[in-house]
Amino acid sequence: MRLKTNNLEIDMLTYNEVIALRDKLANGEIGLESAQAQYWKDFKEGQKSWYTKDWKERRAKIIKDKCEICCSKETLTIQHLSHPKKYSEYLREITRAYANDYIDNNSEIDKSKFIDHVLKNYEYVPIPLCPNCMGKNPSERVRKIPKYRCADCKHEFDEAIYKSAIELISIFYEDEDAYEVRDKCFVSKDKWKNIHNLSHVRYWLQREQAKNKDAEKIGKEAFLFYLNDSIQYLSFDDTITLCKKCAFNFDINRMELCPECKQYYKGLQYPTCIQCLPEEKRKAALESIEFGNEMREMHKRLGID
Ligand SMILES: [Zn+2]
Ligand SMILES: [Zn+2]
Ligand SMILES: [Zn+2]
């Protein structure tokens, strides 16, 4: 669907088109790449769907004729109670789940492959060891000779001992909880400069393997979740109609459906909605909505918001 607004021209799928796209992807009629191309064509994540005619028309059918908190009919807006997640968030969640599954079933990595991986992708920063007790606590002394003193066995020495990366990996393959291999002494060579111990290194390698093995499946699952969120958002199912004042309040006070009337909304801190309060309390509550908004607007004007 194509429409023109003052200075914008956007192609965005309508509600029904998104549903059709989701169904085609789910039953395998189209692939992930094609679904994403159709959905994201001319569309940036977070773009405002209210530029579309479809959205405006369906919104007009959904919006109620009065505020669902205070019954006012002034400047009504629709408030969404849930917000869609980003595709990248779903992708990360599902990758993690696939990785955990993969690790449970493929915990073995060939040792020589692991050594290649570590040497290629990590900088090894070895820790100095005491030559007497092999403890990890030699303290370096600036002024005194010999240079080191072991905090554990009190031995003094000039040359600390270092284990090579390959030695550490061998120990790791014998016993992954061994004292020698717990330290985070591997720094990733990529831009993140992550500091890992050997079991972290192995986790990220396996996660990468899981991701590559099931890239298409993971992407598809994540994109289906993402499309479902968009459909939910576009459906206006999880929305309430609010006047301008209550919409202001709503953003800072979390609301839930009133247990008395199951029709109007109330702040979590109140037992019932304003409508269900006894006359006197209702007046006070309406005044406090008014007051809250005036305070906020004053704060905004004074720049202390
Ligand atoms: Zn209201
Ligand atoms: Zn020592
Ligand atoms: Zn009520």
Side-chain angles (χ1 to χ4, degrees):
M1 168 176 123
R2 169 144 267 171
L3 76 152
K4 281 185 180 180
T5 59
N6 295 343
N7 49 10
L8 274 158
E9 185 177 85
I10 330 161
D11 253 340
M12 252 173 94
L13 299 183
T14 64
Y15 175 61
N16 287 323
E17 285 168 342
V18 180
I19 292 176
L21 182 72
R22 189 260 327 262
D23 292 346
K24 275 195 213 163
L25 176 64
N27 65 29
E29 262 177 77
I30 53 169
L32 175 63
E33 216 174 299
S34 146
Q36 289 181 339
Q38 286 179 51
Y39 189 74
W40 278 322
K41 181 168 157 280
D42 287 343
F43 165 76
K44 304 259 181 323
E45 204 170 36
Q47 195 164 51
K48 296 169 176 41
S49 41
W50 46 88
Y51 288 127
T52 66
K53 186 167 158 246
D54 173 60
W55 191 88
K56 284 177 189 156
E57 284 171 358
R58 281 180 317 98
R59 178 186 185 276
K61 284 186 206 142
I62 294 289
I63 195 161
K64 307 222 163 69
D65 62 357
K66 59 186 175 190
C67 171
E68 289 182 72
I69 290 175
C70 74
C71 290
S72 160
K73 298 190 174 185
E74 235 178 284
T75 328
L76 297 173
T77 63
I78 281 189
Q79 191 89 16
H80 287 265
L81 299 178
S82 57
H83 290 272
K85 278 193 210 171
K86 285 184 182 154
Y87 175 58
S88 59
E89 292 175 66
Y90 276 124
L91 203 55
R92 208 164 31 238
E93 267 174 34
I94 290 166
T95 303
R96 196 180 304 134
Y98 268 77
N100 290 341
D101 231 40
Y102 179 84
I103 289 165
D104 286 345
N105 300 312
N106 303 270
S107 54
E108 293 297 312
I109 299 180
D110 179 66
K111 186 173 156 188
S112 67
K113 275 191 194 142
F114 190 60
I115 291 174
D116 289 347
H117 171 72
V118 173
L119 298 182
K120 188 171 158 232
N121 298 293
Y122 288 85
E123 176 134 21
Y124 173 48
V125 185
I127 355 187
L129 303 172
C130 165
N132 185 44
C133 72
M134 298 305 274
K136 291 173 188 169
N137 296 308
S139 38
E140 212 178 313
R141 308 187 292 189
V142 185
R143 289 171 214 282
K144 275 192 180 168
I145 288 175
K147 191 175 165 194
Y148 294 101
R149 182 171 186 275
C150 175
D152 297 333
C153 73
K154 319 297 180 208
H155 179 54
E156 299 187 344
F157 52 95
D158 271 321
E159 304 264 329
I161 285 195
Y162 298 97
K163 287 222 186 307
S164 72
I166 292 175
E167 278 176 292
L168 279 194
I169 293 168
S170 290
I171 297 171
F172 181 68
Y173 267 75
E174 293 288 311
D175 174 9
E176 53 186 78
D177 299 316
Y179 170 72
E180 292 92 331
V181 298
R182 291 176 198 166
D183 309 282
K184 295 179 182 174
C185 49
F186 293 90
V187 183
S188 69
K189 289 181 184 168
D190 57 19
K191 64 174 173 172
W192 308 110
K193 302 262 175 283
N194 291 313
I195 300 171
H196 289 160
N197 65 22
L198 285 173
S199 51
H200 298 146
V201 171
R202 186 180 58 187
Y203 170 79
W204 288 103
L205 173 61
Q206 286 176 318
R207 181 163 166 163
E208 200 56 31
Q209 287 173 344
K211 197 166 133 187
N212 294 336
K213 181 173 154 280
D214 289 314
E216 174 84 14
K217 253 164 85 187
I218 293 170
K220 181 173 166 176
E221 250 176 67
F223 200 62
L224 282 172
F225 273 113
Y226 173 72
L227 287 179
N228 281 332
D229 264 12
S230 307
I231 291 164
Q232 163 79 6
Y233 191 80
L234 291 172
S235 76
F236 296 104
D237 274 348
D238 204 13
T239 59
I240 57 174
T241 299
L242 296 180
C243 71
K244 201 174 154 194
K245 283 173 189 164
C246 289
F248 265 131
N249 282 335
F250 190 86
D251 283 335
I252 50 164
N253 303 328
R254 295 198 18 242
M255 297 283 188
E256 63 186 11
L257 206 56
C258 168
E260 286 276 323
C261 61
K262 297 192 170 53
Q263 190 188 351
Y264 293 106
Y265 284 78
K266 65 170 196 70
L268 289 181
Q269 69 271 39
Y270 302 116
T272 70
C273 74
I274 294 171
Q275 275 46 250
C276 293
L277 288 174
E279 179 65 26
E280 206 143 297
K281 285 192 176 169
R282 186 164 71 208
K283 260 189 199 158
L286 285 170
E287 272 165 24
S288 104
I289 289 177
E290 192 82 35
F291 179 72
N293 278 305
E294 277 167 16
M295 285 299 284
R296 243 184 315 286
E297 274 170 22
M298 190 173 79
H299 281 197
K300 243 183 218 156
R301 270 202 306 275
L302 296 173
I304 50 177
D305 204 14

